[in-house]
Amino acid sequence: MADRQLKQFGHELVSWVKAFPRNTPRYITERLPIIKWLPKYNRNWAFRDAVAGITVGLIVVPQGMSYAKVAGLQVQHGLYSAYIGAIFYCFMGTSKDLTIGPTAVISLITGELVTELAGRMSAPAVAAISCLCVGAFTMILGILRLGIILDFFPTTVLVGYTSGAAATIVIQQIPKWLGVPNINNRAPVYDIIIKMFQAISTLSWLDLVFGLVSFFLLIAIGLAVDRWGRGKFSIQFIRISRFFIVTVLATALSYAVNHDPALDAKGQPIYKLSILKKVPSGLPSPAVPSVTSEIFSEIAPKLFAISLAVILEHIAIGKAFARKNRYQIDTNQELLALGLANVTASFFGAYAVTGSFSRSAVKFQCGVRSPFAGFVTGALVLLALYFLTPVFFYIPDAALSAVIMVAVSVLISPPSVFIQFYKVNLWDFLSSQVALWVTIFVSVETGIAAGVGFSLLVLLFRVARPNFHVLRQIKDRPDVFIDSTLDSTIETVSAPHGVLVFRIEESTTFPNSEAFKTWVLDETYKYTRFGGHVKETSEKLWSDDMAVHVRNLRKIAHGADSNVTEDDLPKLRAVVFDFSAVNSIDSTGLQGLFDLRDLLKDYAGVTDEPSTFFEVHFVGIQSSVLHVLEMSGITRPVAPIALQKVEVLDNATASDDEIVPESADKKNHTDIGSAAVSVLGQSPFLKEAGLVHLTVRDAVDSVLIRSQAWEKDHGNKGSDFGSIDKTDIHYV
């Protein structure tokens, strides 16, 4: 299957290259979606887009400055990221709700990178090179349409590391929020907590008041609006704009406190409150990011982590809002847009940007109609950069920390989410916990790697050790076979003596081939007896402990106190493999089937007595798997067939479910394999090849019919079935 998909991809790539010249206009249109929707823009959309754009702008200005502090940068770099991301996405985005810019998680990882390279590169240079590398990597994925790699990052890991990153940001902001000075908020979480309690006596009471009041005011506005403002947009707007409102109020009070500061011995002002101070006005000159190969190789893992976080956050948010509003986003186009936005932003003093859940939710609540709202947001941020930077001077650090803490708190998933993971699947819960706690106590990139690595190990384990089932027929529904251990309330009966039905719930590949073979043999030992020649003690190998192994298996199956003897069990006569859940098979899995068939033949006694009846049948094989099995000879080739109802005649031939060549004379062939050989050529494999059926019932009936024919030919020698009549056969 994978080979076929690879060939198809290669064919499509060649066709695309050949058609590129004439498809260039269409390609440009696809890469710039604004060309499609702008001519159809409805003037009635303008008001909603303007409201959404202005509202998001009022949020992103304080948030952008706050997140820049988290990233270890000056506040203006957050605004550079905000306007470039918002405007760029207007031209290339495929979602009306999504807005891109600085976010909490990306800011945290960027801050870790800035701290790691402190003293060797300036913070803006580190941010620019990370932005460029993240953009280039994302853009390449979009161009090559490799969005499939996102499928290997489960939602549980995304929830875990996002919650861990948000919790880390909250803890990092607590010292400034409480006014505790001289705390390195880039230290490990546990170190920040310890140092903060050690220095708690040195806190600034004025910073503490500003921080606490700002925090509780943000919370109070949110709770009040949620309680009394449901369904009223004018009141909801207050909640949406609360970050801007609180920042303005705190700045005004800060100005009142600090506008006439005392001077120290050197003539420097002594402010009563920790504030942002000078923020550069306007835009920086474009500059090309540069880094040495030595430093690049050192930071490559963290750059990869930032890239993954950028992509995962963006695509997850985009799909969520597209699903909610019933439209589709183009994943590869989103990657291309995100990549180009970051590459462009890297030349203008910005750091990595991605989709923001909180700001996208605000756009949705404002009833946004098109991506044009992003242009309005970007324009508002540019106005702030040119005209409001003098006001930013007095923004209190404590208030800004409060804004950060409340903004990122929504990213921390409540315990109910993790409890739900636990109820659904223990492994999902564990992967989320690995990502959560490793992110908090180590780093974000390590948390992502640990969570994804754990999930991949679980995935490999599931592939290597899938569920295997012994099927029994329902007593009142002889056409239905189930695993009775899954539901003890359903009464079942075993298949006819000597017939075992097995199902594997996974593709047969190299990780599980040996496990499947061992399991089938163990189940065979439990419920059937050895049909060959029993070796004397002197004939056995020194390491042969098969008798003990079989005895222990039967004790488990029948009970330690049971008196089941070898003679109480039937001889193995047929094995039916239900392959309806097998989507593919590789060379190792195929070899395992051959080995298993030979071992089962030995156990049935075919090696010691070649005339012994034993067959392998297959059920529900998918076309891609059937093709492989036919070529190998382990099943009989599917020639042009005529599926007809066949009665059980005295010279019983075959049931209607078997694959019979049209040219085969059913009345003159007691072995379908002989007919296949006469049509398709003399193959040494075909005499031992298994038959293929649509249902388990068909396969079991086929075994009964063919065993009767064998009994007639061999005079009932060694049969455990006994005689059967037409009523024993169940045609479905």
Side-chain angles (χ1 to χ4, degrees):
M1 185 178 297
D3 293 339
R4 187 166 64 250
Q5 292 173 344
L6 187 60
K7 291 178 181 177
Q8 182 180 356
F9 175 78
H11 178 71
E12 291 177 353
L13 182 61
V14 171
S15 301
W16 182 86
V17 172
K18 291 181 178 179
F20 181 76
R22 67 173 182 273
N23 289 337
T24 299
R26 180 174 62 85
Y27 181 79
I28 294 174
T29 303
E30 290 176 351
R31 300 289 76 86
L32 291 171
I34 192 173
I35 297 176
K36 292 182 180 179
W37 62 260
L38 190 58
K40 299 182 293 184
Y41 193 83
N42 191 321
R43 287 183 298 176
N44 296 328
W45 300 349
F47 176 74
R48 284 290 187 179
D49 286 346
V51 170
I54 293 171
T55 304
V56 172
L58 295 178
I59 296 173
V60 77
V61 169
Q63 275 193 357
M65 293 190 294
S66 303
Y67 290 153
K69 300 280 283 184
V70 174
L73 301 166
Q74 293 181 322
V75 294
Q76 67 270 18
H77 293 280
L79 299 180
Y80 300 156
S81 301
Y83 91 84
I84 292 177
I87 293 177
F88 213 98
Y89 191 76
C90 171
F91 291 89
M92 298 190 66
T94 62
S95 169
K96 70 180 181 65
D97 300 288
L98 201 57
T99 180
I100 65 176
T103 64
V105 176
I106 306 306
S107 300
L108 177 62
I109 310 177
T110 303
E112 293 175 353
L113 188 60
V114 168
T115 303
E116 185 177 329
L117 296 179
R120 289 184 287 172
M121 291 181 67
S122 66
V126 174
I129 195 62
S130 69
C131 190
L132 177 62
C133 294
V134 167
F137 178 73
T138 307
M139 188 168 60
I140 290 171
L141 291 184
I143 293 173
L144 299 181
R145 298 181 175 272
L146 294 177
I148 188 175
I149 67 168
L150 303 180
D151 297 339
F152 292 94
F153 296 86
T155 302
T156 52
V157 173
L158 181 63
V159 170
Y161 91 77
T162 302
S163 298
T168 301
I169 292 171
V170 169
I171 294 171
Q172 288 178 346
Q173 296 305 312
I174 290 176
K176 282 198 173 183
W177 175 56
L178 297 179
V180 181
N182 303 320
I183 300 295
N184 178 17
N185 65 351
R186 296 298 168 191
V189 167
Y190 59 86
D191 192 51
I192 293 175
I193 296 173
I194 293 172
K195 294 290 178 58
M196 184 181 66
F197 279 108
Q198 290 175 344
I200 196 72
S201 59
T202 63
L203 65 80
S204 166
W205 290 100
L206 195 56
D207 282 301
L208 175 63
V209 170
F210 267 76
L212 290 177
V213 171
S214 299
F215 180 83
F216 288 112
L217 190 57
L218 289 168
I219 298 296
I221 293 174
L223 293 176
V225 172
D226 285 344
R227 181 171 181 178
W228 293 296
R230 292 185 181 275
K232 301 175 182 177
F233 179 76
S234 57
I235 299 179
Q236 286 290 333
F237 185 78
I238 298 175
R239 183 184 190 279
I240 292 170
S241 305
R242 57 183 168 154
F243 297 110
F244 179 78
I245 295 171
V246 169
T247 302
V248 170
L249 290 176
T251 303
L253 290 173
S254 172
Y255 175 77
V257 172
N258 286 316
H259 76 283
D260 189 18
L263 301 177
D264 61 12
K266 296 181 179 180
Q268 298 297 320
I270 302 174
Y271 297 104
K272 300 176 183 178
L273 186 67
S274 177
I275 56 178
L276 284 183
K277 301 179 183 176
K278 185 174 177 60
V279 177
S281 178
L283 298 177
S285 301
V288 179
S290 61
V291 65
T292 64
S293 57
E294 180 183 353
I295 292 180
F296 179 79
S297 61
E298 180 183 339
I299 64 175
K302 198 173 288 286
L303 291 176
F304 183 66
I306 299 176
S307 301
L308 291 181
V310 163
I311 295 170
L312 289 172
E313 195 170 348
H314 183 87
I315 298 301
I317 294 169
K319 286 184 175 180
F321 282 100
R323 188 165 53 247
K324 195 168 187 175
N325 293 281
R326 293 183 175 85
Y327 63 85
Q328 296 291 327
I329 65 169
D330 184 340
T331 302
N332 293 306
Q333 173 62 19
E334 288 293 317
L335 292 178
L336 182 61
L338 188 61
L340 279 173
N342 276 292
V343 168
T344 305
S346 68
F347 295 96
F348 294 94
Y351 67 99
V353 297
T354 187
S356 166
F357 180 81
S358 60
R359 298 194 294 273
S360 297
V362 168
K363 283 180 71 175
F364 168 72
Q365 292 170 357
C366 292
V368 66
R369 292 292 183 264
S370 76
F372 181 71
F375 186 86
V376 177
T377 298
L380 191 64
V381 175
L382 282 173
L383 289 175
L385 276 167
Y386 276 100
F387 301 108
L388 295 181
T389 51
V391 178
F392 295 162
F393 184 96
Y394 290 100
I395 295 178
D397 284 330
L400 214 53
S401 293
V403 169
I404 295 172
M405 293 168 66
V406 175
V408 303
S409 63
V410 297
L411 300 177
I412 302 176
S413 299
S416 59
V417 172
F418 297 103
I419 293 172
Q420 182 65 25
F421 289 158
Y422 177 80
K423 291 179 179 179
V424 172
N425 188 286
L426 175 62
W427 296 113
D428 288 346
F429 170 76
L430 292 177
S431 67
S432 68
Q433 294 304 295
V434 168
L436 171 67
W437 296 110
V438 173
T439 296
I440 291 175
F441 289 105
V442 185
S443 65
V444 177
E445 74 273 13
T446 308
I448 295 174
V452 172
F454 181 84
S455 297
L456 290 178
L457 285 176
V458 171
L459 177 63
L460 290 175
F461 179 78
R462 287 171 174 166
V463 173
R465 295 297 181 269
N467 292 324
F468 305 124
H469 304 284
V470 178
L471 303 186
R472 295 163 58 91
Q473 67 183 44
I474 298 178
K475 185 175 182 180
D476 299 327
R477 291 284 306 278
D479 57 317
V480 179
F481 285 72
I482 65 169
D483 184 347
S484 60
T485 61
L486 300 180
D487 190 346
S488 58
T489 62
I490 300 177
E491 189 175 358
T492 60
V493 295
S494 61
H497 279 193
V499 180
L500 296 176
V501 183
F502 301 119
R503 175 186 292 159
I504 177 174
E505 292 188 355
E506 185 56 71
S507 295
T508 309
T509 52
F510 68 92
N512 60 39
S513 176
E514 190 64 28
F516 180 57
K517 181 172 66 176
T518 301
W519 178 83
V520 168
L521 291 174
D522 285 349
E523 294 300 315
T524 302
Y525 299 152
K526 289 178 184 178
Y527 301 109
T528 61
R529 73 173 187 267
F530 182 59
H533 169 67
V534 179
K535 295 180 180 179
E536 299 293 337
T537 304
S538 59
E539 298 177 305
K540 294 182 179 179
L541 296 175
W542 64 272
S543 60
D544 188 353
D545 61 350
M546 181 59 69
V548 176
H549 178 65
V550 172
R551 185 163 59 248
N552 291 335
L553 288 173
R554 288 173 182 169
K555 285 182 179 180
I556 295 172
H558 304 286
D561 299 329
S562 64
N563 296 319
V564 175
T565 64
E566 188 81 6
D567 294 335
D568 295 328
L569 299 174
K571 290 182 179 180
L572 180 64
R573 287 295 172 255
V575 170
V576 177
F577 291 118
D578 183 351
F579 268 30
S580 56
V582 177
N583 294 315
S584 64
I585 185 169
D586 64 6
S587 299
T588 305
L590 185 61
Q591 183 59 52
L593 282 181
F594 276 104
D595 295 342
L596 180 58
R597 184 194 63 183
D598 293 341
L599 290 169
L600 291 172
K601 283 170 55 182
D602 291 343
Y603 188 76
V606 176
T607 303
D608 297 329
E609 185 63 46
S611 60
T612 300
F613 178 83
F614 173 77
E615 291 185 338
V616 175
H617 292 242
F618 293 90
V619 170
I621 304 180
Q622 300 186 35
S623 59
S624 58
V625 178
L626 180 61
H627 177 66
V628 175
L629 297 184
E630 287 172 352
M631 290 194 302
S632 70
I634 201 168
T635 60
R636 294 180 179 173
V638 179
I641 58 174
L643 298 177
Q644 301 176 357
K645 183 77 71 176
V646 181
E647 295 184 357
V648 183
L649 305 174
D650 290 338
N651 61 341
T653 57
S655 68
D656 62 316
D657 57 283
E658 297 174 71
I659 298 175
V660 186
E662 288 181 345
S663 57
D665 182 358
K666 296 183 180 66
K667 294 188 177 182
N668 294 329
H669 288 279
T670 58
D671 183 2
I672 302 301
S674 301
V677 171
S678 67
V679 175
L680 300 170
Q682 300 292 333
S683 170
F685 296 108
L686 293 178
K687 293 183 180 180
E688 298 178 346
L691 300 175
V692 180
H693 310 271
L694 295 177
T695 67
V696 175
R697 181 73 263 170
D698 293 341
V700 172
D701 287 347
S702 176
V703 170
L704 296 176
I705 294 171
R706 295 169 62 80
S707 68
Q708 186 188 50
W710 178 87
E711 290 168 11
K712 289 177 180 291
D713 289 345
H714 295 81
N716 248 9
K717 180 180 178 181
S719 172
D720 279 349
F721 291 125
S723 60
I724 60 173
D725 56 33
K726 296 180 183 181
T727 60
D728 292 317
I729 312 302
H730 302 268
Y731 288 110
V732 182

